[in-house]
Amino acid sequence: MSSLASQLATDAAFLAKFKDEPKKAIQSLIDKDQIQRNADVVASLFISVPGLDEAGIGDYVGDGDPFCAEVLKCYAGRFQLQGLGFDDALRKFLSAFRLPGESQKIERIVNAFAQQYHKQNPRTFRAPDTAWVLAYSLIMLNTDAHNASVRRAQKMTKEQFVRNNRGDVCVVLPPPLFMR
């Protein structure tokens, strides 16, 4: 861990500011010349600073601002997904931060994951869009399965999930993957 990462990990004011306003917290580091305005540097901080608010990371990388989008691309690129099964790769990626609640932010994050997964596992899917559809679908399935406000009788069944993903996803994936 770098000395800056160690310093930030123990800086209660920075950690609190990042939790409340992640963009302003990162901008303050840039304004104070503690870090460069460089997407790879910011992505590195998200990986190396223990104690950073996971929701703040998700909020930052999901933001539509062009610099945040570049940070997201660099951040996703830091994950080693090669050779992992799709579900394990998605789990690894999503365990590093918390998805924001806004659907546009989730879409941006899932797209970055799909691009990175396809780049590292080019033979798994024909195109990154297929990985995107399946990742988004799995996130929705997980939400449906674990959301207490969805009554048991309304929860999606395995058959409904497979039917909802007919087409590009099911054509590429072997049936056993859908039966797990």
Side-chain angles (χ1 to χ4, degrees):
M1 180 174 11
S2 74
S3 62
L4 177 61
S6 298
Q7 178 186 354
L8 292 175
T10 59
D11 184 342
F14 171 77
L15 294 174
K17 187 171 187 172
F18 186 83
K19 181 177 182 176
D20 294 336
E21 299 176 290
K23 283 181 74 174
K24 287 184 179 181
I26 295 299
Q27 188 59 48
S28 73
L29 294 178
I30 294 167
D31 292 345
K32 294 176 188 174
D33 291 328
Q34 289 183 283
I35 63 171
Q36 299 171 349
R37 182 175 169 80
N38 177 294
D40 197 50
V41 169
V42 176
S44 177
L45 282 179
F46 291 165
I47 299 289
S48 64
V49 177
L52 269 185
D53 184 69
E54 292 177 354
I57 295 171
D59 189 51
Y60 189 96
V61 298
D63 193 278
D65 172 87
F67 182 69
C68 292
E70 190 61 31
V71 171
L72 172 58
K73 184 178 177 181
C74 293
Y75 182 69
R78 291 182 167 274
F79 287 84
Q80 180 51 253
L81 307 174
Q82 187 173 8
L84 290 178
F86 188 77
D87 55 338
D88 290 332
L90 184 60
R91 192 174 296 111
K92 179 179 182 177
F93 183 69
L94 293 177
S95 69
F97 61 95
R98 191 167 145 223
L99 278 175
E102 186 182 323
S103 63
Q104 289 178 325
K105 289 183 178 189
I106 294 170
E107 186 174 330
R108 290 181 197 107
I109 292 168
V110 172
N111 185 51
F113 165 79
Q115 296 292 329
Q116 192 60 32
Y117 186 82
H118 186 264
K119 180 179 177 182
Q120 293 184 32
N121 300 282
R123 294 189 177 133
T124 304
F125 301 110
R126 284 186 244 161
D129 288 350
T130 306
W132 182 90
V133 168
L134 183 58
Y136 206 91
S137 186
L138 285 170
I139 291 168
M140 296 307 294
L141 177 66
N142 187 63
T143 301
D144 182 77
H146 298 286
N147 187 336
S149 66
V150 177
R151 289 184 288 157
R152 189 167 184 76
Q154 294 177 321
K155 293 196 182 280
M156 189 182 310
T157 65
K158 188 185 311 181
E159 293 77 21
Q160 289 169 325
F161 177 77
V162 171
R163 185 178 60 240
N164 290 344
N165 286 286
R166 290 268 182 239
D168 200 32
V169 173
C170 288
V171 168
V172 181
L173 297 178
L177 183 62
F178 280 105
M179 295 301 121
R180 294 185 356 184

